[in-house]
Amino acid sequence: MSTANSDNHLQTPILDSESAQLLQAVSQHGGYAYVSMAARAAAGDLRAAEAAREMAWEQLHSGPWHSVLPVWRDAYSMACLHVAKVHAFAGEFSDALRALDMGLIMGGPLLKPDLHSLVTIVSAKARAARVSEKQHQYPKSDRRLVPDDLDSKELLGVLPTKSLSCKMVLKRSGLSLEGFLREYLLPGYPVIISDGMGHWPARTKWNDMDYLTRVAGDRTVPVEVGKNYLYPEWKQELITFSQFLERIKANGSSSAAPTYLAQHPLFDQINELRDDICIPDYCFAGGGDLRSLNAWFGPAGTVTPLHHDPHHNVLAQVVGKKYIRLYLASLSEELYPYTETMLCNSSQVDLDNLDEKEFPKMRDLEFLDCILEEGDMLYIPPKWWHYVRSLTTSLSVSFWWSEYGSS
């Protein structure tokens, strides 16, 4: 539904105040054509705004991400704002939201306050348009992402060999910060905390398709498609959150590759979902800093292959169940890590198709494992190897943090 009127004119105070200085910086790095297009875009020329965005996009993909000049990330945000403002003025709110999301995902920090401000306004207008057009709502019987009547035996039948036959991760309730610090964080040992997130609004809201569609359905998110990142067929796509939810619902009846929203800072992008969760107090037990807060949303069967991470990690299971296997950090040699720099934290061993002749050191290797239930939080110490499999549709949140004084 398109309704062009003056009420759809959006204010961008930071863009207005920083525009001249940003364009000057772009010029100093050879972006004369971008500056010309941006000037026309500011006057409401959609084709010029799209052209400016494409020029900035090319700069973002001109080399490794860490080598991209920060000015081009801010220039991309600027172009996204111009594109969004033109679409919003024309009442094309879905197109406007997509442009804003691309700015949040790929752009720099300078204009993020404007991007977030416009997302709030445009999202409200998009929701109002959906209500007036009486767009689709899920039947009450189909609103839950994860039904209650799942067959546990069937779920466990897909686990890697020897699963749940070795040592289980200990589950604790009422674990104090002092106890967590003394018994688990300082010794570097995993634990499941069973009662740390009962107060989160997400515990009830996120299993409701209507709620997720209402607050995030029009938003654009990056997803992974394929078994996992170690397979050549694996790829990445940008789709709306509604499309992602539909793929999750269709997963059991479709032969298509699974779609996974993995290790994405979704909560920096969608404030409504961020308001549904809380940072666990355990993340501050070592006096360090929170490094990242990521979403891991996907259907049953999504797998994160055996790997390790550099930081302390609390993995909070909001909806659904996961199987997790952990190996000591000291067992790296026995787990056959890749030699390539980009994959050196990943194992060559496919636990779902383990070949003990090819990887003989795996034969009698001890591990810990567990079923992470809804409402559980798993502490994974730095460098501990872990494999993760979703047993049902699963919505999880990971909190990475570093110890005081570490880089």
Side-chain angles (χ1 to χ4, degrees):
M1 181 176 178
S2 296
T3 54
N5 62 65
S6 59
D7 291 340
N8 293 335
H9 181 73
L10 303 175
Q11 302 298 317
T12 49
I14 297 176
L15 175 63
D16 296 344
S17 63
E18 300 290 339
S19 181
Q21 189 172 347
L22 177 55
L23 291 176
Q24 183 180 6
V26 171
S27 294
Q28 291 171 350
H29 289 93
Y32 306 110
Y34 174 93
V35 172
S36 175
M37 289 296 108
R40 290 166 54 187
D45 185 331
L46 180 59
R47 293 181 67 179
E50 293 283 13
R53 185 167 65 162
E54 184 62 30
M55 291 175 193
W57 179 264
E58 290 176 3
Q59 291 295 325
L60 297 186
H61 293 80
S62 60
W65 183 250
H66 63 80
S67 68
V68 174
L69 293 173
V71 67
W72 280 112
R73 293 188 63 196
D74 288 328
Y76 184 77
S77 295
M78 170 187 273
C80 287
L81 281 169
H82 287 314
V83 170
K85 290 175 75 172
V86 176
H87 279 306
F89 186 74
E92 298 159 353
F93 302 125
S94 293
D95 292 329
L97 271 178
R98 180 176 175 83
L100 294 170
D101 277 322
M102 292 304 298
L104 288 169
I105 294 168
M106 302 295 293
L110 178 66
L111 300 173
K112 278 201 171 181
D114 276 355
L115 288 164
H116 278 300
S117 175
L118 265 58
V119 161
T120 300
I121 296 168
V122 175
S123 292
K125 290 178 179 292
R127 283 195 287 269
R130 276 203 306 273
V131 170
S132 66
E133 294 170 4
K134 297 183 179 178
Q135 291 190 5
H136 170 75
Q137 283 189 315
Y138 292 92
K140 193 170 185 178
S141 60
D142 201 33
R143 281 173 56 179
R144 290 179 65 82
L145 269 178
V146 180
D148 295 322
D149 55 346
L150 294 173
D151 185 335
S152 296
K153 289 184 179 180
E154 184 179 342
L155 296 179
L156 300 181
V158 299
L159 298 183
T161 182
K162 299 180 182 178
S163 293
L164 306 177
S165 65
C166 201
K167 296 179 181 178
M168 301 285 287
V169 180
L170 186 65
K171 182 177 287 195
R172 295 283 303 272
S173 63
L175 183 60
S176 68
L177 288 180
E178 181 185 357
F180 172 71
L181 182 66
R182 183 181 65 251
E183 298 175 45
Y184 300 103
L185 189 137
L186 292 179
Y189 204 72
V191 65
I192 295 172
I193 301 161
S194 63
D195 55 357
M197 48 191 284
H199 59 294
W200 290 15
R203 289 280 287 111
T204 53
K205 290 181 174 181
W206 286 9
N207 203 8
D208 184 337
M209 290 279 285
D210 276 348
Y211 172 76
L212 294 174
T213 301
R214 186 172 70 254
V215 302
D218 292 320
R219 307 299 300 276
T220 296
V221 292
V223 296
E224 301 176 357
V225 181
K227 182 173 180 181
N228 64 61
Y229 61 84
L230 298 177
Y231 278 69
E233 302 85 9
W234 179 89
K235 62 181 180 179
Q236 294 176 297
E237 294 180 3
L238 289 162
I239 60 177
T240 66
F241 200 75
S242 284
Q243 291 171 323
F244 171 65
L245 292 174
E246 289 296 338
R247 290 191 190 184
I248 286 180
K249 293 290 283 186
N251 186 67
S253 58
S254 169
S255 59
T259 299
Y260 198 15
L261 197 162
Q263 199 168 341
H264 173 54
L266 183 70
F267 311 106
D268 289 341
Q269 183 188 350
I270 304 179
N271 290 329
E272 292 93 336
L273 296 179
R274 175 64 182 85
D275 292 340
D276 290 338
I277 62 174
C278 305
I279 300 173
D281 290 342
Y282 301 106
C283 297
F284 304 107
D289 298 316
L290 193 70
R291 291 301 179 118
S292 66
L293 171 57
N294 288 322
W296 305 80
F297 294 4
T302 47
V303 169
T304 302
L306 193 58
H307 72 289
H308 68 78
D309 300 310
H311 301 298
H312 296 277
N313 180 11
V314 162
L315 180 64
Q317 188 63 24
V318 184
V319 174
K321 301 182 181 186
K322 280 184 168 170
Y323 169 80
I324 301 172
R325 181 179 292 192
L326 303 115
Y327 293 87
L328 280 162
S330 59
L331 296 175
S332 286
E333 184 180 336
E334 291 83 351
L335 295 173
Y336 302 90
Y338 282 92
T339 55
E340 300 97 309
T341 302
M342 289 290 289
L343 294 174
C344 64
N345 73 325
S346 297
S347 170
Q348 299 176 60
V349 178
D350 181 355
L351 289 179
D352 294 311
N353 298 284
L354 179 57
D355 185 340
E356 292 188 348
K357 291 182 179 179
E358 185 178 1
F359 304 111
K361 295 177 184 176
M362 291 291 296
R363 185 172 291 116
D364 299 312
L365 213 55
E366 287 194 355
F367 57 83
L368 298 175
D369 63 357
C370 65
I371 303 295
L372 201 63
E373 306 276 357
E374 283 191 9
D376 286 347
M377 299 192 302
L378 172 65
Y379 167 60
I380 304 174
K383 302 288 186 178
W384 272 65
W385 292 80
H386 49 288
Y387 159 98
V388 184
R389 170 180 278 273
S390 297
L391 300 178
T392 66
T393 293
S394 170
L395 308 185
S396 312
V397 182
S398 65
F399 302 84
W400 280 11
W401 78 97
S402 59
E403 293 179 42
Y404 177 76
S406 63
S407 57

